[in-house]
Amino acid sequence: MTQKRVWLFHEGNADMRNLLGGKGANLAEMTNLGLPVPPGLTITTETCMDYISNGNQMPENLMAEVKYALKEVEDQAGKKFGDASNPLLVSVRSGARLSMPGMMETVLNLGLNDSTLQGMINLTNNERFCYDSYRRFLTMFGSVVLDIERVEFENVLDTVKENEGVKLDTEVSVAGLKSLIPAYKAIIRQHTGEDFPQDPYEQLQAAIEAVFRSWNIPRAIAYRNHYKIDHNYGTAVNVQTMVFGNMGDDCATGVSFTRNPSTGENKFYGEYLTNAQGEDVVAGIRTPKQIAELENEMPELYRQYVDIAKKLEQGYKDVQDMEFTIERGKLYILQTRNGKRTAKAAVRIAVEMAKEGIITKERAIQLVDPYQLYQLLLPSFDETAKKSAVHLATGLAASPGAAVGKIVFDTEEAAERGNSGENIILVRIETCPDDIHGMIASQGVLTLRGGMTSHAAVVAKGMGKPCVAGAEDLKIDLNNETLTTSSGKVFRKNDIISLDGGTGEVMEGSVKTEVPEMDENFNTLFTWVDEIKRLAVRANADTPQDVAKALELGAKGVGLCRTEHMFMDPERLPWVQKMIIAGTPEARKEALDQLLPMQYNDFYQMFKAMGELPMTVRLLDPPLHEFLPNKEDLIATVAAKKALGQDYKSDEEMLHVVESLSESNPMMGLRGCRLGLTYPEINEMQVRAIFSACCDLKKEGLDVKPEIMIPLVGHVNELKTVKEVLERVAKEIMAEKSVDVNYMFGTMIEIPRAALTADEIAEYAEFFSFGTNDLTQMTFGYSRDDAEGKFLTRYVEQKILPRNPFESLDTTGVGQLMEIALQKALPVRSNLKRGICGEHGGDPDSVKFCHKIGLQYVSCSPFRVPQARLAAAQAVVEENSLAHSQL
Amino acid sequence: MTQKRVWLFHEGNADMRNLLGGKGANLAEMTNLGLPVPPGLTITTETCMDYISNGNQMPENLMAEVKYALKEVEDQAGKKFGDASNPLLVSVRSGARLSMPGMMETVLNLGLNDSTLQGMINLTNNERFCYDSYRRFLTMFGSVVLDIERVEFENVLDTVKENEGVKLDTEVSVAGLKSLIPAYKAIIRQHTGEDFPQDPYEQLQAAIEAVFRSWNIPRAIAYRNHYKIDHNYGTAVNVQTMVFGNMGDDCATGVSFTRNPSTGENKFYGEYLTNAQGEDVVAGIRTPKQIAELENEMPELYRQYVDIAKKLEQGYKDVQDMEFTIERGKLYILQTRNGKRTAKAAVRIAVEMAKEGIITKERAIQLVDPYQLYQLLLPSFDETAKKSAVHLATGLAASPGAAVGKIVFDTEEAAERGNSGENIILVRIETCPDDIHGMIASQGVLTLRGGMTSHAAVVAKGMGKPCVAGAEDLKIDLNNETLTTSSGKVFRKNDIISLDGGTGEVMEGSVKTEVPEMDENFNTLFTWVDEIKRLAVRANADTPQDVAKALELGAKGVGLCRTEHMFMDPERLPWVQKMIIAGTPEARKEALDQLLPMQYNDFYQMFKAMGELPMTVRLLDPPLHEFLPNKEDLIATVAAKKALGQDYKSDEEMLHVVESLSESNPMMGLRGCRLGLTYPEINEMQVRAIFSACCDLKKEGLDVKPEIMIPLVGHVNELKTVKEVLERVAKEIMAEKSVDVNYMFGTMIEIPRAALTADEIAEYAEFFSFGTNDLTQMTFGYSRDDAEGKFLTRYVEQKILPRNPFESLDTTGVGQLMEIALQKALPVRSNLKRGICGEHGGDPDSVKFCHKIGLQYVSCSPFRVPQARLAAAQAVVEENSLAHSQL
């Protein structure tokens, strides 16, 4: 080894992560930025591997090099290692190339011994603090360096606490702490046969070796195995000066943000304490002062601090969250990192920093977290009010927002009372399409079963309606109309509860809410977003109200209009059921003739609301049994009536119909285009309604753009056959009405086979809309209705899956299929229109992936449109910066 | 056009299909092989397109060329066109490049007119035949060439029949036939304003034009559209001498096979009649003579015929099915084609022809149809007995073979009585895993619902048990234990029925069966098969009996041992249910401890039967609710008891358990490795049982080769996590027993995502077994339980899908995923063991695909092992001949 093994902080830089470790490189970078970082040195990762390959022997002359560098650290710190009057104490920490938090060892306050202890007492005037530091150091040194079980030290401390009759470490008297020192030394002597080393250099060498060795302790090896980190990287060792904010009134410690993290206001924000340790600020024993007061107390240091803060904000191009300590009139920055902030603050900070010229618009776009943006659009609970609320249960955070209302268990009742102005929370075991009108009329929805993509969750998210799903700790008794918590508390119908759909919390009574609004900054940011992004963002919308909301939030069309919700309307359901039960095509046609004018009106209103932006209408998709009464209810009714000798004929007849339509796995059964191929009359009626409405609107001067989407195609012949019939119907109607509509026929790509044979399918489809909900189901073989309740949550917890693939697109598997589809389809039809309409269309990471693979639009529920737009813009920024870095 | 437009048969050859059409090229080829084909000429397809593009005008000089060529035909035939004493009659037929059967026009007996008619009467001495031929010619010419509705001619014939009081055309008197001629001529005159043309050349030109025009009649255009045949190909026209076997005692006509098509015996086989038409042989009015008699009657012609037959067999390298006519002492071959034959005959013919040196072993292997081979291994019905049986219904041919037995509706009863020796047919609405012991004990299974891959079909096929599934015309009344046919015939319990699982027929009473055996030829053929094939063939087997059968049929291991069937044993089910209901891991362990020794014994017996060949054991796969009582039955019971005020507590408790395990789409729910990750104790118990058994057998000197298969992996982490735990258990047991077993851990590739991420999965899997049943389900998004009943059959009928993808692998979609998986996995693990264990492993076409993409083995139910072996060998032969053709 001829390479330099010991580096002072100012000798390194941020790019030397491999040699100096992540922490060492960062400390070097901060030092070079001119920050008053407590001085120190880093021993390289290679030296660690030398030590290990050498059979855990210190490389020759290493300690001499360390001592040499430490001299300079002493000069910078103005203290001396082992000096009784002005002692330099150091921390010795590991720091690998990749972060392995908590896996390896750390020793603090190294350099303390019987004599430097006295020096510290003199300097701090705080005997309790110094003895506490010394006993902690002895414990750490004993356990980490000398391999003595930590519990041995703790047992002694426990005895002292017992004798003094106290419970917390902080309650032990100074005398008690003092008494620990000889006791701890005795433990060390007993286990090692040698005295605790008073020589600080001896301490230092032992600590460095302990850190080296900690690279290969079992938990570190296991961690590297798990994360596939190379076992030959080794760890660096950082030896850094300890500083103390509690050495007198010219000392202080505090935390601060360069801007207000709640509101975003461009004003220094934070707290500090004079003559105190960092922990004191957080602990709440003394009340910290506002950072502004530091200007009065220590004007020069405050100015220094503000200068540094501004420099850091400009350097890191983001709000900084800083920790500082003032030791005897000297300012040290211990840490700086990008500050966390609320969505509101994030938008303001980004826009203002850009306007101030600190950052570009591109950077401003990157500074707002799209996942957080949803917060801005929905009512939320007043945080203080929430803290004091009584918590009843926690379910899945299925659809964010705050909702307060009276418990109602029955959908019809919820619909009626909600529509007449009452605030209702619909509480159901689970929801089904029948519940939609109840959901619409409620403030929020609470279900006991079902996951993040259960019916309740998906529909609620689409409506921007708060929903807590799968709150399994609660019990419903439908007969008595009660809701019981796990602690046995019983709520009745009309009792008031509050739901936080963003956290999954259910609370008692009416918790205060606040309604945020979109401000000037929001609008400015989204002007920039729209300038830069290339992906169009559409909305999934089933009603004219949805369309209006979507337009308000910046959608440029509807990517998915589901027609089945239109069939669920209570007025129409009888006709829908007649259509299903119909034994002949003629009888079916008769029922459909009743539905036609209603569908005409649906589409007339939808397209009118949409204006001249494109709208994709998906033809009827779900299995028909969803429109019929529940099978299990019918079985129970028939059995009960039979047992009682009552007439059960009509129930049994309906049961036979339901049974003939019921399937073992309806998700993979007779639905989508399979339905259209089985009962062509249904699709024909829908296309008739769509084109009649569009032709009439066109005549009224509106250049509508219908896109007819045929769902669940898995083989090109399905699409070909259905499309041929429907396009003929469309042309007939346009001929009848003597007007030409600008239309397209296309398909959802939601079956793996469709993606794999996209070249064949592209011959007949003018557009592809990736239906990634179903595509995820089929690609993983997960039924979303079952998986989330039964095993998916555990899979994510156990890290078997990195994320729930129904929330964020699985780019490795499902995304691969999307890429295959595009690679196959585009050579066949270069102008293929291509987008996504699964739930993933609103998930920022998934939106970025869609941008990357060359989709032209994403479509998501109206309330997720802004975050999708932002993510689309971020995708461009990231792409540009990647291109730049590759130059 | 300077190209030759009119070709004599001997001028063309088989490669000229594009110019001469398929039929023309074949006639040329037969002529060139030296066969005495009735001479003739072919007008090219290009000439047809000239005619059409010329506005349906005969190309200049074409008829001159035809006349010129016809002179030569006259010479070859020894007859003259239009000659009153020795007339040449011809047929005029279409013949496109690709066969379009029945789509275009044909005219027979052209050349007949009032004078040649007399010549024919003199030559044949058969007035009835000649007048019948003339009136047919007039009808054909009138309708095909002159576009007169055929019905006009038929009406006149009907009037004659009415007057004579007869029903059949053949019953009309000669006088009646004579009377038709002037009547038909009158019809022609009336419609065209001209007389029927007596000039044979005028007839010929008109007929040629009619054939040309028939290229563009609506049904031909529609046919080409459907099969995507180019509309510019055109049709050739074949003008061929008609020959007659009814011109006297030196005439004959017959059909014969070069070998016996039933037994395969190398002996001329066929029938003939002297002085007769071809139809007479088939019609059954006169009893035909055995072909051997021809040797006595016409020894020289017989020798000629035998010579030709041998030459043809050698030329076509296959048994020939020939039609011949002897006209006035001259032999003509009208047609020769490869003969159809029984499976038994196919094997004998192939082996003997190879031994005779006529064909190679490779050709012998190609001569047997693997799809047919199944016949050989199963009992079948005596064909004569079957013909006279009373047919009750037809369902799906779910699992071939003949079964006769008493109707039993209850599984328990079937099991009990079947095991005590009675012949039982288990009749169920549909079957579930509970029914297995009843199925095992029955002769055959009949279900009213479910498709080709329903539970009943799959399990029955696996057992080689005849099964007719989805016989929807039948009705079961379980209360009264009756089975009712669509015609209202009622069968009771214990009535005897017969099932043909190979055709789906259900018959009344006991139909006579015969049991075929594997003979010397079979064994010889399979020696050759095994010499050439590269794919290993394993069997899917769940019992030692299955294993024995598999070995007998040539399997080289077990590719899939499903452990769930072991759990279904009535003795164990209570423990299995206790395991499922167990609230804690401890309670579950207790139940599993009871199951462990039973599983140990299962595996001990299985591996012992398997010997030193490898066996893949799949860990428990199905959703747990399959082991519990039926949910709907429980709902009905609870409702009924509730209504009657009876105690329903225990039923309700079980219902709660069943409900908590029930899923909307169980196929995509908690099963496979998801089960193993949720209840690790189950898999651990199974691995403990497997390794204990294997270690003990190893100690007894048997070098067993267990391959542990983890099912339903979709993400590498699932496999990794499960495998880590299980391999540890395996190692513990081997350490305890102090013996090393040669084992592997691997996975099924049955989830699309597994195929797409096969590179990741191959890092942890030592083998891949493609589970193409589930892979087909997920790739198409078809639940096989639902699809076949609801839409798949119709999809195949409507040609939306070319074949049922559960029967024959969808190479475009599912096969593509398999190829992707191999392309990704092999670079990661070049020695990856790779096979298939879905139902497709026994489907010959799918086996060939598996060979092509580089699998190492296929695995299928024992009875399909021979056909899989044969297909594997054929794959090599096809590959070699492809390689040869590309040289």
Side-chain angles (χ1 to χ4, degrees), chain A residues 125 157 178 213 430 433 439 445 468 473 691 717 732 850:
Chain A
N125 221 349
L157 178 59
K178 271 189 185 171
R213 286 197 305 271
E430 56 198 342
M439 294 174 73
V445 182
V468 173
D473 284 349
F691 277 83
N717 288 346
E732 276 168 19
C850 292

Side-chain angles (χ1 to χ4, degrees), chain A residues 225-226 228 449 631-633 635-637 639-644 659-671 673-675 677-678 712 714-715 717-718 720-721 751-757 760 764 777-787 790-791 794-795 798-802 810 812-814 816-817 820 824, chain B residues 228 449 479 631-633 635-637 639-644 659-671 673-675 677-678 712 714-715 717-718 720-721 751-757 760 763-764 777-787 790-791 794-795 798-802 810 812-814 816-817 820 824:
Chain A
N225 281 336
H226 186 79
K228 298 193 178 164
R449 278 203 224 131
K631 181 166 86 169
E632 298 175 0
D633 293 349
I635 291 173
T637 306
K641 287 189 174 175
K642 223 170 179 172
L644 295 170
E659 269 174 346
S660 76
L661 288 171
S662 86
E663 297 175 305
S664 326
N665 299 283
M667 190 60 70
M668 307 166 83
L670 184 58
R671 49 177 284 246
C673 68
R674 302 165 196 171
L675 210 55
L677 282 158
T678 308
L712 218 70
H715 192 289
N717 288 346
E718 294 175 309
K720 191 181 158 217
T721 309
I751 297 280
R753 196 179 184 285
L756 292 164
T757 60
E760 296 175 3
Y764 298 92
Q777 293 201 91
M778 310 293 174
T779 305
F780 274 91
Y782 292 165
S783 157
R784 68 184 184 195
D785 288 340
D786 304 310
K790 296 265 197 278
F791 61 87
R794 205 177 46 249
Y795 264 29
Q798 292 180 0
K799 296 197 193 300
I800 288 172
L801 294 180
D810 161 50
T812 318
V814 181
Q816 188 182 154
L817 274 180
I820 289 173
K824 295 199 166 212
Chain B
K228 299 194 177 162
R449 277 202 224 132
N479 291 335
K631 182 166 87 168
E632 298 175 358
D633 294 347
I635 290 174
T637 306
K641 287 190 174 176
K642 223 170 179 173
L644 296 171
E659 270 176 345
S660 77
L661 288 171
S662 86
E663 297 175 306
S664 327
N665 299 282
M667 190 59 70
M668 305 167 83
L670 184 58
R671 50 178 284 246
C673 69
R674 302 166 195 171
L675 210 55
L677 282 158
T678 307
L712 217 71
H715 192 290
N717 288 344
E718 295 176 309
K720 193 182 156 213
T721 309
I751 297 279
R753 197 180 183 284
L756 293 164
T757 61
E760 296 176 3
E763 287 197 38
Y764 297 92
Q777 292 200 91
M778 311 291 174
T779 305
F780 274 90
Y782 292 165
S783 158
R784 67 183 183 195
D785 288 340
D786 304 312
K790 296 265 198 275
F791 60 86
R794 203 177 47 250
Y795 265 30
Q798 292 181 358
K799 294 195 195 302
I800 289 172
L801 293 181
D810 161 50
T812 317
V814 181
Q816 186 183 156
L817 274 180
I820 289 173
K824 294 199 166 214

Side-chain angles (χ1 to χ4, degrees), chain B residues 538 607 611-616 690-691 694-695 697-699 702-708 727 730 734 739-745 766-767 833:
Chain B
R538 297 192 189 185
F607 277 101
E612 305 200 340
L613 293 170
M615 173 151 74
T616 309
I690 294 167
F691 276 83
C694 286
C695 285
L697 284 163
K698 184 80 183 270
K699 281 186 182 172
L702 199 62
D703 187 14
V704 292
K705 297 193 182 62
E707 299 172 346
I708 315 302
E727 195 163 19
M734 291 188 292
V739 57
D740 269 347
V741 171
N742 192 353
Y743 70 92
M744 278 189 181
F745 275 90
E766 290 166 275
F767 65 87
K833 198 159 177 177

Side-chain angles (χ1 to χ4, degrees), chain B residues 26-96:
Chain B
N26 274 339
L27 286 165
E29 187 67 15
M30 281 167 66
T31 305
N32 288 330
L33 272 172
L35 300 192
V37 174
L41 58 87
T42 304
I43 307 171
T44 67
T45 55
E46 290 175 353
T47 313
C48 168
M49 290 318 295
D50 267 7
Y51 175 84
I52 290 167
S53 59
N54 210 11
N56 289 359
Q57 294 294 322
M58 276 298 259
E60 217 173 315
N61 288 329
L62 179 63
M63 278 312 291
E65 286 173 39
V66 169
K67 277 186 192 172
Y68 183 82
L70 201 59
K71 288 283 166 237
E72 196 154 333
V73 173
E74 288 175 335
D75 288 350
Q76 289 165 13
K79 304 178 185 181
K80 280 188 81 71
F81 202 47
D83 186 294
S85 59
N86 187 20
L88 173 72
L89 303 188
V90 296
S91 61
V92 181
R93 296 178 211 249
S94 63

Side-chain angles (χ1 to χ4, degrees), chain A residues 407 480-485 487-492 495 508:
Chain A
I407 294 174
N480 298 311
E481 298 204 296
T482 59
L483 178 72
T484 308
T485 69
S487 67
K489 203 162 195 169
V490 179
F491 290 80
R492 298 181 188 287
D495 286 349
E508 185 171 348

Side-chain angles (χ1 to χ4, degrees), chain A residues 267-297:
Chain A
K267 205 174 142 189
F268 233 57
Y269 175 90
E271 297 170 327
Y272 75 103
L273 280 171
T274 41
N275 197 13
Q277 288 176 266
E279 294 134 65
D280 299 339
V281 180
V282 189
I285 300 168
R286 290 164 58 190
T287 305
K289 307 175 204 173
Q290 291 301 308
I291 197 76
E293 280 187 44
L294 191 64
E295 190 169 7
N296 303 326
E297 284 202 80

Side-chain angles (χ1 to χ4, degrees), chain A residues 225-276:
Chain A
N225 281 336
H226 186 79
Y227 288 99
K228 298 193 178 164
I229 298 174
D230 194 321
H231 293 296
N232 290 317
Y233 283 170
T235 180
V237 180
N238 298 292
V239 179
Q240 185 178 21
T241 305
M242 307 250 344
V243 294
F244 300 92
N246 59 346
M247 286 186 171
D249 288 340
D250 57 351
C251 296
T253 188
V255 293
S256 78
F257 286 77
T258 53
R259 296 174 192 237
N260 186 313
S262 292
T263 64
E265 194 185 1
N266 184 6
K267 205 174 142 189
F268 233 57
Y269 175 90
E271 297 170 327
Y272 75 103
L273 280 171
T274 41
N275 197 13

Side-chain angles (χ1 to χ4, degrees), chain B residues 569-607:
Chain B
D569 184 293
E571 254 183 63
R572 306 178 187 183
L573 207 54
W575 286 109
V576 173
Q577 295 186 346
K578 267 184 199 163
M579 169 192 88
I580 295 170
I581 295 169
T584 62
E586 292 70 35
R588 183 165 302 116
K589 204 145 196 157
E590 202 189 313
L592 285 165
D593 285 346
Q594 294 291 328
L595 291 169
L596 177 60
M598 305 181 194
Q599 278 264 285
Y600 168 88
N601 189 48
D602 293 331
F603 292 123
Y604 184 89
Q605 300 300 340
M606 285 291 288
F607 277 101

